[in-house]
């Protein structure tokens, strides 16, 4: 069977398995094993387990569960509530300010947790009911949280950037810095659209009679300032981790381990989580997400190996490389591919499978690999708020089941257009992603 036919067959079987509800990791593993057995015979079964284990038995991958544990310590504690309250104090009384403060909260919480689903869930549980109570349209309330949550995979420290760095053997510290300014740029674009959407809707921040009493205002201010004080230690931990990475003081795995320990201790001490159950919940959440991601990484690596064994990867890469087109047309084709892949697969799976294949093509076309990492990540962010998978959409639906999925989707789509605008701006002005890494770590890759 020629590589093109094999590739089509593999993709069709994979899509069918996912369509009937098979978990991503199991679907990738089953298709990979089937392809390898058909290509090499039953003897391949002997090496499957060894290959599966070898794909994740790398010290660099220690950073992933450690950063996830750090995020779980933040997400499973009242940190999100305190962050939300403190931002609402300063921005909630502005026109459309509550929705804008929710995006700001998502941006900061993204840096604390590194996870888009955790960011959407933590801020959405507080922000959506409050926005609806104050008269915000359901679409605006749901859309700004779903979109704000996507910043979790771009603003450092980001788990997906770690996966990209390991998969492509690029500097994780430089990747983190490259995502900082684009992440803030997207947050600003989200805020601008939110303000426009609120004005178009004709109503926001309905007066709250209770909040008019001076004593109540004073009490709210004091409570929110105390909430901000409780959040500050977590922000200092994140700043310390980034300093250690950028300053060359520690490796990503070491920094992640220390950060996870400190955030866990802070969650226990600051919020008096002395009981076994809350700490157990943190460990449970971290273990669940870590196992899911590591399974996807292991099976995606085997899937990539299977594609290579069938010469599918080489055929596709050769076809793309042989396109006699302008390099920006090539980048447009790659963007469309990533966008479509993000519609169906989680970011980690797309990165592990696609990044090693695309990176040589990107470098040959004279594009910067760190700039491309940001472009790739934003494409995958779009997939988090667009059907058919749209993980953040379903998280918001779970938080607010009485909001129609149609309203959540329509409220989120303008933010997807903001992300596309962000990609266009990065193409015209690549220094948005490259200036800060070059300033801090010097030019070069």
């Amino acid at each position: 069977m020629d590589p093109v036919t094999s590739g089509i067959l593999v993709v069709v079987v994979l899509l069918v398995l996912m369509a009937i509800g098979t978990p991503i990791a199991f679907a990738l593993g089953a298709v990979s094993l089937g392809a390898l057995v058909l290509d090499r015979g039953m003897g391949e079964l002997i090496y499957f387990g060894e290959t599966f284990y070898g794909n994740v038995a790398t010290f660099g991958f220690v950073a992933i569960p450690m950063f996830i544990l750090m995020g779980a310590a933040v997400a499973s504690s009242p940190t999100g509530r305190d962050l939300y309250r403190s931002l609402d104090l300063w921005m909630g009384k502005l026109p459309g300010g509550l929705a804008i403060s929710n995006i700001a909260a998502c941006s900061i919480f993204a840096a604390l947790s590194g996870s888009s689903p955790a960011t959407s869930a933590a801020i959405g549980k507080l922000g959506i009911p409050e926005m609806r109570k104050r008269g915000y349209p359901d679409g605006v309330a749901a859309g700004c949280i779903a979109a704000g949550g996507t910043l979790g995979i771009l603003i450092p420290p980001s788990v997906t950037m770690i996966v990209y760095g390991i998969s492509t053997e690029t500097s994780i510290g430089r990747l983190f810095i490259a995502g900082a300014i684009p992440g803030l740029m997207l947050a600003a674009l989200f805020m601008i659209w939110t303000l426009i959407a609120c004005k178009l809707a004709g109503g926001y921040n309905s007066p709250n009679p209770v909040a008019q009493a001076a004593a109540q205002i004073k009490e709210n201010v004091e409570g929110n300032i105390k909430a901000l004080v409780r959040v500050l230690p977590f922000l200092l931990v994140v700043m310390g981790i980034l300093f250690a990475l950028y300053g060359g003081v520690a490796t990503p795995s070491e920094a992640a381990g220390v950060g996870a320990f400190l955030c866990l201790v802070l969650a226990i001490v600051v919020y008096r989580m002395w009981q076994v159950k809350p700490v157990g919940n943190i460990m449970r959440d971290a273990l669940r997400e870590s196992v899911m991601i590591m399974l996807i990484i292991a099976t995606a690596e085997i899937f990539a190996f299977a594609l290579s064994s069938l010469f599918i990867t080489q055929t596709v890469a050769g076809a793309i490389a042989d396109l006699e087109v302008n390099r920006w047309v090539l980048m447009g084709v790659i963007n469309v591919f990533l966008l479509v892949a993000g519609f169906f697969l989680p970011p980690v799976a797309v990165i592990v499978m696609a990044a090693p294949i695309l990176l040589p093509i990107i470098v040959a076309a004279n594009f910067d690999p760190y700039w491309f990492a940001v472009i790739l990540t934003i494409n995958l962010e779009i997939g988090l708020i667009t059907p058919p998978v749209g993980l953040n959409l379903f998280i918001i639906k779970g938080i607010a089941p009485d909001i129609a999925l149609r309203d959540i989707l329509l409220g989120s789509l303008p933010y997807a257009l903001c992300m596309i605008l962000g990609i266009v701006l990065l193409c015209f002005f690549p220094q948005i992603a490259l200036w800060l890494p070059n300033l801090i770590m010097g030019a070069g890759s």
Side-chain angles (χ1 to χ4, degrees), residues 26-205:
F26 293 115
L28 288 171
V31 171
S32 304
L33 183 58
L36 288 172
V37 167
L38 289 174
D39 182 56
R40 300 187 173 191
M42 295 299 292
E44 191 64 25
L45 291 172
I46 300 174
Y47 304 104
F48 185 82
E50 182 181 342
T51 306
F52 181 90
Y53 175 78
N55 285 333
V56 291
T58 304
F59 181 72
F61 280 127
V62 173
I64 295 175
M66 289 297 99
F67 272 120
I68 289 172
L69 177 58
M70 188 179 88
V74 173
S76 300
S77 68
T79 308
R81 178 200 65 200
D82 286 342
L83 178 63
Y84 177 82
R85 288 182 62 189
S86 57
L87 286 171
D88 185 30
L89 168 67
W90 306 110
M91 304 176 68
K93 304 301 181 288
L94 299 173
L98 183 58
I100 293 175
S101 67
N102 275 287
I103 294 176
C106 286
S107 303
I108 298 173
F109 199 87
L112 291 171
S113 69
S115 167
S116 291
T119 301
S120 294
I123 304 301
K125 289 175 184 176
L126 302 161
I128 292 177
E130 187 65 23
M131 282 190 284
R132 297 177 76 190
K133 185 172 70 177
R134 297 196 193 182
Y136 284 80
D138 288 348
V140 173
C144 72
I145 298 290
T150 65
L151 297 171
I153 64 173
L154 182 59
I155 295 178
S158 162
V159 171
T160 53
M161 285 294 191
I162 296 173
V163 175
Y164 178 93
I166 295 172
S167 299
T168 59
E169 298 182 353
T170 47
S171 166
I172 293 174
R174 185 178 285 271
L175 287 168
F176 278 0
I177 308 175
I181 294 179
L184 296 176
M185 177 187 72
L186 283 187
L189 291 174
F190 290 172
M191 290 178 182
I192 292 170
W193 167 252
T194 300
L195 182 59
I196 294 171
C198 288
K199 289 187 175 181
L200 291 175
Y204 42 79
N205 283 17

Side-chain angles (χ1 to χ4, degrees), residues 164 317-328 330-331 334 355-372 445:
Y164 178 93
I320 295 175
D322 290 340
L323 289 175
E324 296 183 1
V325 295
N326 181 279
R327 70 185 191 124
W328 288 107
L330 176 65
M331 177 55 63
I334 292 174
I357 300 172
L358 294 176
L359 190 66
I361 299 170
I362 291 298
V363 174
N366 203 29
F367 288 110
D368 187 275
Y370 298 94
W371 170 86
F372 175 67
S445 56

Side-chain angles (χ1 to χ4, degrees), residues 336-391:
V336 171
F337 164 74
L338 293 172
L339 194 61
V340 173
F343 288 163
F344 298 96
L345 296 171
V348 169
V350 177
I351 290 172
V352 174
M353 289 189 294
I357 300 172
L358 294 176
L359 190 66
I361 299 170
I362 291 298
V363 174
N366 203 29
F367 288 110
D368 187 275
Y370 298 94
W371 170 86
F372 175 67
V374 176
I375 296 290
L376 181 151
T377 303
I378 295 176
N379 273 290
L380 300 182
E381 285 186 88
I382 296 173
L384 290 171
I385 57 171
T386 49
V389 178
L391 179 59

